[in-house]
Amino acid sequence: MVVKRKIAALSAAVAVLTGCAGAELVHLAYQTTAEQFTIQYRTDLDTSRVTWAHGFDAIEPMRYTRHFLREDGKCKFDGVLIPWARTWQQEVRNGDTVTRLPPKSDEVAGYAAVIYKKRCPDQPAQAILHVGEQGGLIISAREGKAGLIDLRPAQAMDVLSGNQDFRPQWLPQVVARAIQLAPSNPAAKQFVVSAKEQLIQALPDQKAAITAAAAQ
């Protein structure tokens, strides 16, 4: 409710503007309020749509941007999409009824957006580690394909400075998958090499595997 009130207030403040300028400021107001909880990214594709073979071996490179009115709106962000499975029991509540769903470790539940490098004009590249679920995915199990169109959202968190209690449960899993596929997948290898220090800081128990994968 507090978030909705803040969005309404910010929107009202720019309501006197019309056309694209007003719409963009309203959108930025929404993002600014939402980013009290997540970091908002958007896919930045060279074409209107990309597709890839859907499955656990599908680690795809992805480029992201931020809203162009933000301070880092001219920056580009390197990332990867990594499939994950729900390897934990999930509780679904419907009123007073609680249903416990068993893990589905053999089924892709979604794709993690892992953003690991920030590139801004006239500045050296900066290593980061922001993770979240990729939104706007188009998945066809029948055709064995997954895809995205341009400007799809990814709501991420800073793994190194954020509250560890809010880390996605799939984080160790997707890093392990990138390590496993690094020898044969260029996108996975680039991610592990570029984010080596950040990954070790975030997941010290995987230090040996991360170091070995980056050195291969």
Side-chain angles (χ1 to χ4, degrees):
M1 181 63 70
V2 172
V3 172
K4 289 182 178 179
R5 285 201 298 267
K6 289 184 177 179
I7 292 173
L10 287 167
S11 299
V14 298
V16 293
L17 295 174
T18 59
C20 293
E24 288 296 343
L25 284 175
V26 169
H27 181 62
L28 181 60
Y30 168 79
Q31 286 202 326
T32 299
T33 303
E35 286 195 13
Q36 295 181 48
F37 309 98
T38 60
I39 305 168
Q40 310 290 309
Y41 287 98
R42 296 189 291 188
T43 53
D44 180 33
L45 306 179
D46 293 327
T47 59
S48 60
R49 177 175 175 169
V50 294
T51 60
W52 59 88
H54 176 55
F56 284 116
D57 293 338
I59 294 184
E60 288 294 309
M62 187 58 57
R63 190 172 65 240
Y64 292 90
T65 60
R66 302 268 275 139
H67 192 280
F68 73 92
L69 290 177
R70 298 196 65 87
E71 182 180 355
D72 53 2
K74 294 183 179 180
C75 302
K76 302 290 185 181
F77 299 83
D78 296 340
V80 283
L81 295 178
I82 305 178
W84 60 274
R86 183 170 57 78
T87 57
W88 55 90
Q89 180 176 272
Q90 182 179 17
E91 289 189 355
V92 178
R93 295 182 177 274
N94 184 9
D96 295 331
T97 303
V98 178
T99 302
R100 292 176 174 82
L101 303 178
K104 288 189 175 181
S105 57
D106 60 344
E107 181 179 305
V108 175
Y111 283 80
V114 184
I115 298 97
Y116 61 86
K117 187 166 289 187
K118 179 180 180 180
R119 303 178 186 273
C120 301
D122 303 319
Q123 296 181 28
Q126 177 186 352
I128 59 177
L129 188 58
H130 297 174
V131 303
E133 288 193 44
Q134 177 62 59
L137 284 163
I138 304 168
I139 296 176
S140 173
R142 181 176 61 84
E143 297 180 359
K145 293 285 186 180
L148 276 172
I149 59 176
D150 203 15
L151 300 178
R152 295 301 91 186
Q155 298 182 349
M157 68 168 290
D158 185 338
V159 173
L160 300 182
S161 65
N163 188 330
Q164 293 191 17
D165 292 337
F166 295 116
R167 284 184 178 183
Q169 289 179 268
W170 43 251
L171 179 60
Q173 174 194 152
V174 300
V175 172
R177 181 159 291 114
I179 291 169
Q180 176 187 357
L181 295 177
S184 59
N185 186 299
K189 180 60 178 288
Q190 181 65 36
F191 161 52
V192 175
V193 170
S194 299
K196 173 186 171 184
E197 298 303 322
Q198 287 70 35
L199 290 173
I200 291 172
Q201 183 178 344
L203 299 167
D205 58 325
Q206 295 192 37
K207 178 180 179 179
I210 293 167
T211 303
Q216 290 178 357

